[in-house]
Amino acid sequence: MVKAYLRYEPAAAFGVIASVGSNIAYDSSGKHLLAPALENLALWHVRQGVCTKTLAPSAASPGPSLAVTSIAASPSNLVASGYADGSIRIWDLDKGTCETTLNGHKGAVTALRFNKIGSLLASGSKDNDVILWDVVGETGLFRLRGHRDQVTDVVFLDSGKKLVSSSKDKFLRVWDLETQHCMQIVSGHHSEIWSIDIDPEERFLVTGSADPELRFYTVKHELSDGKSVDIVDGNEIVSSGDLSTQEKWNVLKHFGELQRQSKERVATVMFNKSGNLLACQVAGKTVEIFRVLDEAESKRKAKRRLHRKKEKKSAKGKEEPEMMGNVETSQVTGEGNSLVVTVLDVFKLIQTVRAGKKISSISFSPITPKNSLATLALSLNNNMLEFYSIEDDTSNKTLAIELQGHRSDVRSVTLSSDNTLLMSTSHNAVKIWNPSTGSCLRTIDSEFGLCSLIIPQNKYGLVGTKGGKLEVIDIGSGTCIEAVEAHGGSIRTIAAIPNENSFVTGSADHEVKFWEYRVGQKSTQESKRLKMSNVRTMKMNDDVLAVAVSPDAKYIAVALLDNTVKVFYMDTLKFFLSLYGHKLPVLCMDISSDSDLIVTGSADKDLKIWGLDFGDCHKSIFAHKESITAVQFVRNTHYLFSVGKDNLVKYWDADKFELLLTLEGHHADVWCLAVGNRGDFVVTGSHDRSIRRWDRSEEPFFIEEEKEKRLEQELETDLDNAFENKYAPKEEVPEEGAVALAGKKSKETLSATDTIIDALDIAEVELKRIAEYEEEKARGRVPEFQPNVIMLKLAPSDYVLRALSSVQMSDLEQTLLALPFSDALKLLAYLKDWMSNPDKVELICRIATVLLQTHYNQLVSTPAARPVLTALKEILYGRIKECKDTLGFNLAAMDHLKQLMASRSDALFRDAKSKLLEIRSQHSKRLEARTETREEKRRKKKSKK
């Protein structure tokens, strides 16, 4: 009989607060912060400091899980996340579900931005392209090409009519989204542009790069009559259409530069929601906060600066030509007004926020607190989130989310005897977890822990450190009660001796030490404590890397730096066997429950299975692509797990020497492994700071089937690579502002095309059968008609419509592009029948548009297509008008209801923005009047003197 095994599947991933590869972002309410957690999105409640929701991609997607590379929150409850494979997922935060997946980029998504109303999404990628997506229709609109290097940021202008993109090619590009062309290319930077942002009122656009200064641009807005308006220093300069062609199309005008304090490159520039603060985060530990002064304040500051210069000149008694600010700063002047407002008059550095570690990303809260200017969230590269309250002259840390994860990579994991506790160690802390829920129960400060052990009764834990200390952890109180100087070098391994109150430690000081422990108390006043004593010491010839004790306590195996494993008798410590064959040192090993087999994993990437009776090597397997870091047998079986620096977890049968499963999920080197007593789950710890649990399911699998799957995957990847590299035409450098299709050809679109072609063929055969049946019926022969079972009792046209409706909206364009002309013609013939269904009008219009655009020349020259196109022309416009009228009527009705509610309510409904502008203008007038009176008083005083 063929042997069946039970499959292990990913169950939980915990320990990651914020991964490094992506930005963080607040949701629209400001109550939650979205942080990347490797392939997942974590939703943190800011006040409580608790992860309320985790948005994870479906497990159905094949291949390794890909990390989140970019996050953007829309004004509604939608959130977009970009991934390393170029895909974008749109999530509904309330439901916690993925609404749609958009595929268009060939490289990792590096920038995402919603427009103000959240209907459009712009994405930039490492493939140098910018794609505009329709979020409501779940489709790609078009692709903008022109950048010569990876796109780093995108921002919308003029209520979504224009788009500005920045790139590593040192250029800014301004795109007109209505005509889909590049309006302006802005140069001036000497290094790669990493981030751009615009204030909410769209007065200034700021860019950050590795240059020592921030560059600012003023934005020219278009009016409805074709004229343009420039708002800089309060004076709206309206320009007629008499400008030169170059100036007419220019949207961004250079305003000036502002010197930065830090020498590191800019990572992020960001305005807060109200637009009165600008944050500049560098690729280090600091964030510079600038105050953005309004028109009245900036004018006043410019006047004061001018006045000071005049005073200095009068004091010197020299007549020198007036200098209006720095030579470097551009001057923007109103007509008939000699006052010049420079960058230094508008942007004022108020403070610098300093974090303890390197900052990965920043985000302003959309809610402005009462007692401070803003709330700023930081994600640090040591798996931590910090929140700062920004005030006029200081910044205070209000919250730090750090307990739910390690600050560095997880070096060891160990399970308690009853599998209820999990202990993990890293460079400065020991954490106790509940492995079933993934919640952190205790955090204990520690030295760099390389190995660990929970002793029976689950009251105490032992940690072997890099400094040679053996730390005793009281799990109940969460404290380190003792640190014993156990070895002269780093303790690499701890192994428990079965059925005894003792354990063994191995160290880089060439020693293996045997320890006994007991729980006791020195005096009646003191509480019970764990006492340890060294009972035996065994000297070795080289550094000890791993120690394993056989379950029958008969043998002890010691792996040394000289690539060998020495096996000794446990009782007498006499030499028994030497296992040699590895080309590099053995880093890990384990002995099976029946003490028959010993498995060793080495830095030479080989897994060797040995017999413990004679020391013969049963099999040497090339197991991992990198060093093997941990191996462990499943209790009472000859199945084993191995992990390595190739990010993989592998499941083996040590009797048949077969690879059973490969578990993909970690994003960096996997350091450690712990298998549950019953073998029902496995826990792994990694350099990516995550701890993952893999559960055994009830689903059986067979070795041969898994082999076939692996071979198919390898073949597919090889074919894809070969096709991409050899036969695909090499893409030339795109012309200036070229526009292309948004989607990309994928396996999903090709399989969807095959499904539609099959449906069309089946429907055609069925229509012929129906026609033959009608002929027979007319002749008088009436046999009973048997419909095709495959069509599920649907009419031929409904069956084809069902196949089309199953295609994702984001993949529809690419799916229809792959259809041959003959099948496209068949599809057009069905559109007339489907127009009677009001729910499918939008889908049918999209199908008709794509097919007409793609096959226009052939359709015009094909006589058979003319009747179909004529019929579509008559029906299509009428149906679209009906839909448009219905939508317009519904919107008008909702607006009417809103007005009714407003009239019934006692509360005043006002336009908040107009009111705010009114208050600001009144305030600025008062300030100007005050300054004028002050200046008059000063003049009078001088004249008296």
Side-chain angles (χ1 to χ4, degrees):
M1 258 183 85
V2 180
K3 190 171 183 180
Y5 301 86
L6 292 178
R7 192 179 296 279
Y8 282 83
E9 291 175 346
F14 47 93
V16 180
I17 297 169
S19 50
V20 182
S22 170
N23 62 307
I24 55 171
Y26 273 94
D27 69 341
S28 55
S29 68
K31 292 179 182 176
H32 295 92
L33 183 75
L34 290 146
L38 302 175
E39 74 274 15
N40 299 334
L41 267 183
L43 197 68
W44 293 91
H45 195 286
V46 176
R47 281 191 180 177
Q48 297 172 1
V50 176
C51 183
T52 55
K53 209 174 280 182
T54 302
L55 308 176
S58 62
S61 54
S65 54
L66 293 150
V68 176
T69 54
S70 186
I71 301 169
S74 79
S76 62
N77 62 338
L78 294 179
V79 166
S81 59
Y83 293 83
D85 62 344
S87 63
I88 300 165
R89 287 184 174 88
I90 309 289
W91 303 88
D92 189 319
L93 283 186
D94 295 341
K95 298 176 189 172
T97 55
C98 179
E99 295 295 295
T100 185
T101 303
L102 308 169
N103 288 304
H105 288 294
K106 292 176 182 175
V109 178
T110 51
L112 286 172
R113 185 90 63 150
F114 282 95
N115 65 344
K116 279 183 181 176
I117 58 172
S119 59
L120 296 176
L121 174 70
S123 63
S125 166
K126 283 187 176 178
D127 61 6
N128 311 353
D129 293 346
V130 177
I131 299 181
L132 200 73
W133 306 91
D134 179 2
V135 178
V136 181
E138 299 178 358
T139 57
L141 299 176
F142 47 84
R143 183 191 300 265
L144 299 168
R145 286 180 167 164
H147 282 297
R148 300 288 190 270
D149 207 337
Q150 138 182 354
V151 178
T152 52
D153 211 346
V154 287
V155 69
F156 282 97
L157 289 182
D158 276 346
S159 305
K161 291 179 184 175
K162 296 182 184 69
L163 184 78
V164 182
S165 59
S166 64
S167 169
K168 282 188 176 181
D169 62 6
K170 306 175 190 175
F171 292 108
L172 288 176
R173 282 178 179 266
V174 184
W175 307 88
D176 189 326
L177 299 182
E178 290 175 345
T179 58
Q180 300 173 17
H181 79 281
C182 183
M183 298 175 68
Q184 184 184 0
I185 300 171
V186 182
S187 60
H189 278 284
H190 304 293
S191 58
E192 299 163 341
I193 305 171
W194 286 98
S195 180
I196 58 174
D197 201 17
I198 191 164
D199 66 321
E201 293 178 6
E202 296 190 359
R203 289 163 57 207
F204 304 106
L205 183 129
V206 58
T207 61
S209 68
D211 298 347
E213 66 276 326
L214 293 174
R215 290 177 78 88
F216 291 86
Y217 299 87
T218 54
V219 183
K220 186 170 71 177
H221 298 274
E222 283 185 14
L223 297 175
S224 54
D225 58 356
K227 295 179 180 179
S228 62
V229 60
D230 217 336
I231 314 164
V232 179
D233 53 352
N235 300 321
E236 293 190 352
I237 308 162
V238 180
S239 55
S240 60
D242 301 334
L243 296 166
S244 66
T245 314
Q246 181 116 15
E247 287 179 13
K248 184 182 174 184
W249 287 106
N250 284 355
V251 176
L252 300 178
K253 189 174 181 182
H254 185 226
F255 180 46
E257 286 107 3
L258 198 64
Q259 290 294 322
R260 299 191 289 113
Q261 289 187 332
S262 176
K263 291 180 181 178
E264 284 120 339
R265 72 165 177 87
V266 174
T268 313
V269 286
M270 185 180 288
F271 284 95
N272 66 339
K273 196 176 182 183
S274 56
N276 64 337
L277 291 179
L278 170 67
C280 169
Q281 176 229 329
V282 300
K285 299 179 182 180
T286 58
V287 181
E288 293 171 18
I289 309 290
F290 295 89
R291 185 76 178 265
V292 185
L293 306 179
D294 60 15
E295 288 110 11
E297 288 175 322
S298 53
K299 272 184 180 180
R300 255 196 351 271
K301 197 174 177 185
K303 280 181 182 176
R304 283 203 303 271
R305 180 170 47 78
L306 230 111
H307 188 67
R308 282 199 303 271
K309 290 209 170 185
K310 282 179 181 176
E311 282 182 347
K312 281 181 184 177
K313 283 169 191 169
S314 60
K316 285 180 182 178
K318 293 178 183 179
E319 289 186 2
E320 292 177 2
E322 291 184 357
M323 299 292 289
M324 304 296 185
N326 288 346
V327 180
E328 293 173 1
T329 56
S330 297
Q331 301 174 355
V332 182
T333 317
E335 286 181 16
N337 182 10
S338 60
L339 186 70
V340 175
V341 176
T342 65
V343 170
L344 294 167
D345 298 327
V346 182
F347 296 91
K348 177 188 174 185
L349 179 66
I350 56 171
Q351 59 176 289
T352 303
V353 179
R354 296 184 188 278
K357 289 285 178 181
K358 198 175 178 183
I359 302 167
S360 299
S361 173
I362 61 169
S363 181
F364 272 115
S365 172
I367 302 170
T368 306
K370 292 177 183 176
N371 53 354
S372 61
L373 295 173
T375 302
L376 185 69
L378 311 178
S379 75
L380 307 183
N381 74 341
N382 66 340
N383 194 27
M384 195 170 164
L385 291 171
E386 289 185 346
F387 298 86
Y388 286 84
S389 174
I390 307 297
E391 293 167 19
D392 284 320
D393 51 355
T394 58
S395 58
N396 302 314
K397 191 198 288 188
T398 54
L399 176 69
I401 299 173
E402 57 182 341
L403 293 175
Q404 292 88 342
H406 281 289
R407 303 283 71 75
S408 65
D409 49 336
V410 181
R411 292 307 297 255
S412 77
V413 287
T414 181
L415 286 162
S416 61
S417 54
D418 56 359
N419 294 345
T420 56
L421 294 175
L422 172 74
M423 186 161 77
S424 62
T425 65
S426 70
H427 86 291
N428 65 349
V430 174
K431 286 184 181 285
I432 311 295
W433 307 82
N434 181 341
S436 56
T437 61
S439 56
C440 182
L441 307 175
R442 301 274 187 279
T443 299
I444 305 107
D445 289 337
S446 160
E447 290 186 17
F448 199 141
L450 296 176
C451 53
S452 57
L453 176 71
I454 297 178
I455 63 174
Q457 286 122 29
N458 303 348
K459 287 183 180 178
Y460 299 98
L462 302 170
V463 177
T465 69
K466 199 172 183 179
K469 288 182 182 177
L470 197 58
E471 296 182 341
V472 182
I473 306 294
D474 188 329
I475 293 171
S477 63
T479 55
C480 176
I481 56 174
E482 193 179 1
V484 179
E485 292 284 351
H487 286 274
S490 57
I491 301 174
R492 302 280 175 82
T493 178
I494 299 178
I497 298 174
N499 308 320
E500 291 182 32
N501 288 347
S502 53
F503 60 91
V504 186
T505 57
S507 167
D509 64 357
H510 302 192
E511 287 184 349
V512 176
K513 289 189 177 182
F514 295 78
W515 305 78
E516 283 185 357
Y517 62 85
R518 61 188 178 85
V519 178
Q521 57 191 65
K522 290 182 181 177
S523 63
T524 52
Q525 284 104 16
E526 286 186 11
S527 59
K528 289 185 177 181
R529 295 182 70 174
L530 187 80
K531 296 176 181 177
M532 297 185 303
S533 56
N534 180 19
V535 290
R536 284 193 292 181
T537 301
M538 186 164 58
K539 284 272 185 184
M540 307 303 294
N541 296 326
D542 218 326
D543 292 12
V544 178
L545 300 180
V547 171
V549 178
S550 64
D552 58 5
K554 191 177 178 182
Y555 304 110
I556 178 169
V558 182
L560 302 174
L561 195 63
D562 63 1
N563 310 351
T564 64
V565 176
K566 309 286 185 190
V567 184
F568 300 90
Y569 288 104
M570 192 75 179
D571 49 1
T572 59
L573 298 186
K574 285 186 176 178
F575 177 76
F576 172 55
L577 290 171
S578 181
L579 311 177
Y580 53 90
H582 282 290
K583 297 178 185 70
L584 289 170
V586 173
L587 304 177
C588 52
M589 59 183 174
D590 194 31
I591 299 172
S592 62
S593 302
D594 55 7
S595 301
D596 282 351
L597 299 177
I598 179 169
V599 62
T600 55
S602 166
D604 63 8
K605 308 167 192 175
D606 284 351
L607 204 64
K608 289 185 187 287
I609 299 161
W610 315 77
L612 202 54
D613 45 4
F614 301 110
D616 54 326
C617 181
H618 291 184
K619 189 72 175 177
S620 179
I621 306 167
F622 179 69
H624 289 262
K625 292 177 182 175
E626 296 292 336
S627 301
I628 300 167
T629 51
V631 290
Q632 193 172 340
F633 276 101
V634 178
R635 196 172 176 185
N636 299 326
T637 68
H638 281 182
Y639 308 144
L640 64 97
F641 283 91
S642 68
V643 297
K645 290 186 178 180
D646 57 357
N647 312 355
L648 299 177
V649 182
K650 294 193 175 184
Y651 183 37
W652 306 85
D653 186 335
D655 290 331
K656 296 186 175 181
F657 318 120
E658 291 280 2
L659 173 63
L660 305 179
L661 284 176
T662 300
L663 305 175
E664 296 178 338
H666 281 291
H667 295 254
D669 307 351
V670 188
W671 284 115
C672 47
L673 164 76
V675 182
N677 275 344
R678 296 183 296 277
D680 52 348
F681 72 93
V682 182
V683 178
T684 53
S686 167
H687 190 80
D688 62 15
R689 294 162 192 166
S690 71
I691 299 170
R692 291 176 187 263
R693 196 180 86 242
W694 316 80
D695 285 0
R696 187 172 63 197
S697 65
E698 295 302 315
E699 182 194 345
F701 70 92
F702 302 97
I703 293 176
E704 294 302 320
E705 287 180 4
E706 289 301 310
K707 275 185 182 175
E708 283 176 19
K709 279 183 190 176
R710 282 196 292 273
L711 284 169
E712 279 175 15
Q713 282 178 3
E714 285 174 16
L715 190 65
E716 279 178 8
T717 51
D718 288 347
L719 281 171
D720 289 346
N721 294 338
F723 181 74
E724 282 174 14
N725 297 337
K726 292 180 186 175
Y727 307 112
K730 297 288 180 187
E731 286 192 9
E732 296 175 7
V733 176
E735 56 191 76
E736 290 299 322
V739 179
L741 292 171
K744 71 171 181 181
K745 192 184 286 183
S746 61
K747 290 175 188 174
E748 288 78 17
T749 59
L750 291 173
S751 61
T753 306
D754 291 340
T755 306
I756 292 167
I757 292 169
D758 290 343
L760 286 167
D761 292 342
I762 292 165
E764 191 179 10
V765 171
E766 190 68 4
L767 283 169
K768 281 181 183 175
R769 285 184 64 223
I770 291 168
E772 286 171 6
Y773 171 72
E774 292 297 332
E775 281 180 19
E776 298 246 345
K777 195 177 179 183
R779 288 176 193 162
R781 302 173 191 168
V782 192
E784 191 178 344
F785 182 74
Q786 296 291 333
N788 193 343
V789 183
I790 297 169
M791 294 181 67
L792 307 168
K793 295 185 180 179
L794 293 170
S797 63
D798 293 339
Y799 182 68
V800 177
L801 182 60
R802 183 175 174 273
L804 273 163
S805 302
S806 65
V807 180
Q808 279 194 1
M809 289 298 277
S810 56
D811 294 336
L812 186 65
E813 196 171 38
Q814 288 292 331
T815 303
L816 293 173
L817 279 173
L819 279 178
F821 177 69
S822 56
D823 290 313
L825 205 58
K826 288 178 195 173
L827 201 56
L828 280 169
Y830 283 109
L831 296 183
K832 186 181 172 184
D833 300 335
W834 298 337
M835 289 305 285
S836 57
N837 188 348
D839 296 338
K840 300 291 181 184
V841 172
E842 190 185 346
L843 174 68
I844 292 152
C845 290
R846 284 202 62 209
I847 293 166
T849 309
V850 172
L851 291 179
L852 286 169
Q853 285 175 343
T854 311
H855 304 288
Y856 176 76
N857 292 328
Q858 282 177 292
L859 284 168
V860 169
S861 59
T862 307
R866 285 172 196 168
V868 177
L869 294 174
T870 311
L872 276 176
K873 185 185 175 184
E874 292 170 1
I875 300 167
L876 212 58
Y877 286 112
R879 289 293 184 193
I880 292 166
K881 195 174 182 306
E882 277 177 31
C883 275
K884 196 177 176 184
D885 292 345
T886 309
L887 287 167
F889 179 80
N890 290 341
L891 286 168
M894 287 170 77
D895 197 32
H896 178 64
L897 285 169
K898 183 184 171 184
Q899 287 172 9
L900 280 173
M901 286 169 71
S903 62
R904 287 175 190 167
S905 174
D906 296 332
L908 293 169
F909 280 76
R910 291 183 182 177
D911 187 357
K913 193 173 181 182
S914 61
K915 186 71 180 171
L916 187 68
L917 289 169
E918 189 184 326
I919 292 163
R920 276 185 181 175
S921 63
Q922 287 174 2
H923 183 61
S924 60
K925 283 173 185 175
R926 283 176 200 155
L927 288 169
E928 280 177 8
R930 282 179 193 170
T931 50
E932 282 171 10
T933 51
R934 281 175 189 167
E935 282 176 8
E936 282 174 13
K937 285 177 183 177
R938 282 176 188 169
R939 283 171 195 162
K940 283 176 184 178
K941 282 180 182 177
K942 282 183 180 179
S943 61
K944 282 177 185 178
K945 286 177 183 177

